[in-house]
C-alpha cells in the first residue's frame, strides 16, 4: 500500500524556537497534502491543505504566519511551527492524497509529537 | 451541531465479542465514508472505505452505511486484544471530517 513518511516522530524544543516537520509520500506522487493537529483523546483537526506549487489553504482559526507550510515537490510537504510556545505542544499528523484506481484515498504519516518547554 | 458525531466511549469488551462502533453525520453531501484505526501516538490507518449505502465486509470487519439515516457503523467480529485502539470514522465531501474517535479496549 501507499506509504507516507513523517519526520521527526517526536521533538522537544525551547519556547521561541522554530520546528520543521517533514512529510514525504514514498511511492506515489501527492498533489495534495493535509496537516492535522490532535490533542490527547481528541480527534484530528485539519489545519491546512497543501497543494504542490501553490500557497496552502488554512482552516479558520489557524495562523498562517505561525504554521508555515511549503509543498515544493510532489513528494514533500513541510510544516514549520515558528516561535513555538507551550500551547503549540501537540501531535501533528500529515496525510497525502494519492490516486488509486478511480478513487482518491488518504494515507497518513506516523505523526510528530511536539513538546515545547 | 458537529458535522460528524461519534461516541468517544471508552468501550471495553472481552476477547471474542462483537464490537459495534457508530457515527452520525449531518451533511447529506458527504460522499465517502471511512473508518480508521489509530494506535497511541501513531497516525491513523485506513481500515474500511465505502461510498454507497449497504454493507462492506473485509475479514472480521464490516462497514455499514445508511445514507437515509445519515448513520454509519463498523462491526468487529471475534475481537482480539490487538484490536485495542481508537477508531475514527471519517466522512468526506471535498475534505475529510473526522469523528471524535472511540477508544476500544479488548481484554483477554
Amino acid at each position: 500500500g501507499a506509504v507516507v513518511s513523517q519526520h521527526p516522530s517526536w521533538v522537544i524544543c525551547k519556547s521561541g524556537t522554530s520546528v520543521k516537520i517533514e512529510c514525504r509520500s514514498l511511492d506515489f506522487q501527492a498533489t495534495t497534502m493535509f496537516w492535522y493537529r490532535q490533542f490527547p483523546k481528541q480527534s484530528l483537526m485539519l489545519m491546512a491543505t497543501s497543494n504542490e506549487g501553490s500557497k496552502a489553504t488554512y482552516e479558520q482559526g489557524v495562523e498562517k504566519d505561525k504554521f508555515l507550510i511549503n509543498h515544493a515537490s510532489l513528494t514533500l510537504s513541510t510544516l514549520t511551527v515558528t516561535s513555538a510556545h507551550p500551547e503549540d505542544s501537540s501531535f501533528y499528523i500529515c496525510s497525502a492524497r494519492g490516486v488509486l484506481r478511480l478513487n482518491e484515498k488518504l494515507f497518513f504519516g506516523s505523526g510528530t509529537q511536539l513538546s515545547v518547554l | 451541531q458537529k458535522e460528524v458525531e461519534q461516541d468517544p466511549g471508552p468501550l471495553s469488551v472481552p476477547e471474542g465479542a462483537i464490537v459495534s462502533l457508530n457515527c452520525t453525520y449531518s451533511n447529506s453531501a458527504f460522499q465517502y465514508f471511512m473508518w480508521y484505526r489509530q494506535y497511541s501516538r501513531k497516525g491513523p490507518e485506513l481500515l474500511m472505505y465505502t461510498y454507497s449505502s449497504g454493507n462492506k465486509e473485509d475479514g472480521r470487519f464490516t462497514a455499514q452505511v445508511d445514507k437515509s439515516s445519515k448513520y454509519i457503523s463498523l462491526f468487529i467480529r471475534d475481537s482480539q486484544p490487538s484490536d485495542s485502539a481508537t477508531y475514527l470514522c471519517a466522512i468526506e465531501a471535498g475534505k475529510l471530517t473526522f469523528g471524535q474517535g472511540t477508544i476500544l479496549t479488548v481484554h483477554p
Side-chain angles (χ1 to χ4, degrees):
Chain A
V3 178
V4 175
S5 174
Q6 186 172 342
H7 179 80
S9 57
W10 60 271
V11 58
I12 301 173
C13 69
K14 292 182 179 180
S15 184
T17 61
S18 294
V19 174
K20 180 185 283 188
I21 303 170
E22 292 188 348
C23 181
R24 295 180 183 272
S25 56
L26 297 184
D27 53 0
F28 65 99
Q29 292 185 332
T31 55
T32 304
M33 290 186 175
F34 303 87
W35 288 95
Y36 296 83
R37 183 173 182 176
Q38 186 178 34
F39 291 106
K41 296 187 179 181
Q42 293 190 23
S43 190
L44 284 75
M45 298 301 296
L46 180 65
M47 298 175 65
T49 302
S50 167
N51 294 297
E52 186 267 337
S54 63
K55 290 183 178 180
T57 302
Y58 290 81
E59 295 298 302
Q60 190 174 7
V62 177
E63 299 177 58
K64 62 180 181 180
D65 294 330
K66 181 168 186 63
F67 299 99
L68 300 179
I69 291 173
N70 185 282
H71 194 157
S73 76
L74 286 171
T75 59
L76 174 64
S77 176
T78 60
L79 168 68
T80 302
V81 183
T82 62
S83 187
H85 288 98
E87 58 264 31
D88 298 325
S89 299
S90 185
F91 192 58
Y92 293 86
I93 309 173
C94 72
S95 67
R97 184 182 296 281
V99 179
L100 298 175
R101 298 177 186 174
L102 298 178
N103 301 315
E104 293 189 346
K105 298 184 180 182
L106 272 182
F107 295 92
F108 286 81
S110 55
T112 298
Q113 179 63 51
L114 170 64
S115 297
V116 184
L117 304 178
Chain B
Q1 180 187 12
K2 291 182 180 178
E3 287 189 295
V4 182
E5 298 270 6
Q6 182 177 5
D7 185 345
L11 186 61
S12 181
V13 302
E15 183 175 356
I18 296 174
V19 176
S20 173
L21 304 166
N22 309 293
C23 287
T24 58
Y25 61 96
S26 58
N27 188 345
S28 58
F30 285 135
Q31 298 177 321
Y32 301 101
F33 308 90
M34 287 147 279
W35 285 95
Y36 287 85
R37 177 174 61 195
Q38 185 179 25
Y39 293 110
S40 181
R41 291 292 179 259
K42 298 292 183 184
E45 170 194 6
L46 181 65
L47 283 177
M48 300 289 284
Y49 177 99
T50 185
Y51 54 86
S52 59
S53 283
N55 293 349
K56 182 176 180 180
E57 189 173 319
D58 184 1
R60 296 184 295 111
F61 298 92
T62 299
Q64 188 175 80
V65 175
D66 182 347
K67 288 189 176 182
S68 62
S69 302
K70 299 189 183 68
Y71 192 86
I72 66 171
S73 300
L74 178 71
F75 299 97
I76 307 174
R77 293 185 299 279
D78 188 24
S79 56
Q80 303 295 310
S82 57
D83 294 329
S84 299
T86 297
Y87 289 81
L88 298 142
C89 64
I91 305 178
E92 182 164 14
K95 67 177 183 179
L96 208 58
T97 302
F98 284 91
Q100 188 175 348
T102 300
I103 300 171
L104 171 67
T105 301
V106 181
H107 51 85

